[in-house]
Amino acid sequence: MAPRPRCGTGVVRVVVTGGAGFIGANLVRRLLDEGHEVVVVDDLSTGRLANLDAVAGRIERHEASVLDAPALDAALAGAAAVVHLAARPSVPRSIDDPVATHRANVDGTLAVLEAARRAGPDAPHLVVASSSSVYGANPALPKHEDLVARPLSPYAASKLAAEAYALAYAHSYALDVLVLRFFNVFGPLQPADHAYAAVVPAFVDAALAGRPVTVHGDGTQTRDFTYVDTVTAVLADAVTRRVADPAPVNLAFGTRTDLLTVLERLEALLGHPIVREHTAPRAGDVPHSVADASRLRALFPDVEPVDLEAGLAATVEWFRSGAAAPS
Ligand code: NAD
């Protein structure tokens, strides 16, 4: 086997676990655009094959769980990097079925780490998706990576366990690992058509259909919304430069927006008022979340975030194009 490029700006074979999902399918497009060879491992549990229709002939696809060791070994053969996004996302889903969340998110990450360890000296660079939900009940703002993590949901606990394993494997087996704590990511390909939909697609979908939007709580809860292209820019840069770090890194740029402001921005974009229906706050949700972005900016000085308005406009455009599955 030819030696793999380990650094610099060379084109490499990149495995994207969860590549049929929202962030994964956006990342696959970017990596292909940058000339990389892309391999997707996805069991289609929450992702959609249709997300990859546009790139079907340009990728190697393994319809398999990351818990399937032979399938994972086949996918990782010759890979210079793995971006591990496969997970059972969502706080409410984890509250409904915590064991399934643990299997996908913790056992699944361990399986990816083991596959990398089996590769020995040829181990790929690993970029692992964690979540801002790990900060949970810690009220400090902004969220700095050195804060004590206090998960409030099985999902958050699973992400904390996964990132702990990833960093422990990096130390124990000299693997190049980067753990990124994603905040609220939004953009094209994010589904609105299920009970666990994230807030931005749920709002956009309802508003475009002329339905009232459901706001859990009073809507003053704040989030660090990150447009998906910003996330994929960081991931692609991490892969290209083989960025690793012994500590977790927030992936958000420190912008704090409450849900009512998101609705106002959407009203401005759509040109009509949006009716709100307020319900009880959701179990496991945190009231406020904003990232300390200093570690991210130091590691990725060339990545400029897409601002909220531009990201929302592109998201609305995508929903209007009819590409989203009808809710
Ligand atoms: P998604 O559900 O669209 O993508 C997850 C993908 O993983 C899906 O395609 C799913 O089919 C696949 N998958 C699940 N279990 C698998 C398994 N055992 N084997 C193989 N594939 C499996 O979700 P997303 O929003 O794109 O999230 C991607 C990653 O980012 C996840 O790790 C998630 O926890 C993390 N994250 C996302 C956000 C966000 O705002 N979207 C925030 C924080 C963290």
Side-chain angles (χ1 to χ4, degrees):
M1 192 187 299
R4 273 164 243 168
R6 295 186 70 83
C7 58
T9 55
V11 169
V12 294
R13 178 177 160 96
V14 186
V15 176
V16 182
T17 73
F22 155 52
I23 298 171
N26 277 287
L27 176 64
V28 167
R29 284 161 173 71
R30 181 180 287 265
L31 292 171
L32 288 170
D33 287 348
E34 293 185 5
H36 295 294
E37 191 185 325
V38 179
V39 181
V40 168
V41 180
D42 199 301
D43 68 358
L44 303 181
S45 51
T46 59
R48 293 171 188 185
L49 214 42
N51 285 343
L52 296 173
D53 277 354
V55 295
R58 300 168 63 200
I59 58 172
E60 180 181 316
R61 197 171 58 77
H62 298 254
E63 191 175 324
S65 170
V66 290
L67 295 165
D68 177 342
L72 203 52
D73 284 343
L76 262 62
V82 178
V83 182
H84 176 47
L85 302 172
R88 203 176 143 86
S90 123
V91 165
R93 194 181 256 128
S94 78
I95 289 173
D96 290 348
D97 191 345
V99 175
T101 293
H102 181 95
R103 287 211 180 96
N105 299 5
V106 185
D107 295 343
T109 300
L110 199 58
V112 171
L113 293 166
E114 275 295 284
R117 187 163 81 95
R118 280 195 295 277
D122 288 333
H125 171 220
L126 294 173
V127 181
V128 177
S130 183
S131 162
S132 59
S133 63
V134 301
Y135 295 112
N138 191 323
L141 288 174
K143 303 300 184 192
H144 183 271
E145 294 89 342
D146 290 340
L147 290 175
V148 174
R150 291 173 56 194
L152 282 171
S153 65
Y155 170 72
S158 75
K159 284 289 167 183
L160 185 60
E163 65 172 45
Y165 267 122
L167 295 175
Y169 264 60
H171 184 79
S172 304
Y173 306 112
L175 300 176
D176 289 340
V177 173
L178 180 67
V179 167
L180 293 167
R181 290 179 175 166
F182 299 179
F183 281 58
N184 285 66
V185 188
F186 71 97
L189 304 184
Q190 192 170 27
D193 60 332
H194 59 71
Y196 303 111
V199 63
V200 170
F203 280 1
V204 174
D205 183 53
L208 281 175
R211 293 191 314 267
V213 300
T214 303
V215 181
H216 300 285
D218 65 4
T220 58
Q221 60 269 47
T222 55
R223 296 290 181 265
D224 202 335
F225 291 103
T226 316
Y227 186 57
V228 68
D229 281 6
T230 305
V231 172
T232 62
V234 168
L235 294 172
D237 193 24
V239 163
T240 306
R241 294 188 294 115
R242 205 173 169 108
V243 178
D245 202 274
V249 179
N250 290 334
L251 203 179
F253 282 81
T255 51
R256 186 176 177 187
T257 312
D258 65 36
L259 300 190
L260 299 177
T261 302
V262 172
L263 285 170
E264 281 163 21
R265 299 271 196 279
L266 285 176
E267 284 175 326
L269 275 168
L270 300 177
H272 63 75
I274 299 170
V275 180
R276 294 107 156 116
E277 270 177 11
H278 290 267
T279 61
R282 277 194 318 197
D285 272 354
V286 299
H288 299 290
S289 178
V290 60
D292 180 321
S294 39
R295 207 175 270 177
L296 180 77
R297 287 186 189 277
L299 284 171
F300 298 95
D302 296 334
V303 176
E304 273 306 315
V306 176
D307 68 30
L308 182 68
E309 278 74 11
L312 285 177
T315 305
V316 167
E317 178 89 354
W318 180 75
F319 271 87
R320 273 190 169 138
S321 75
S327 59

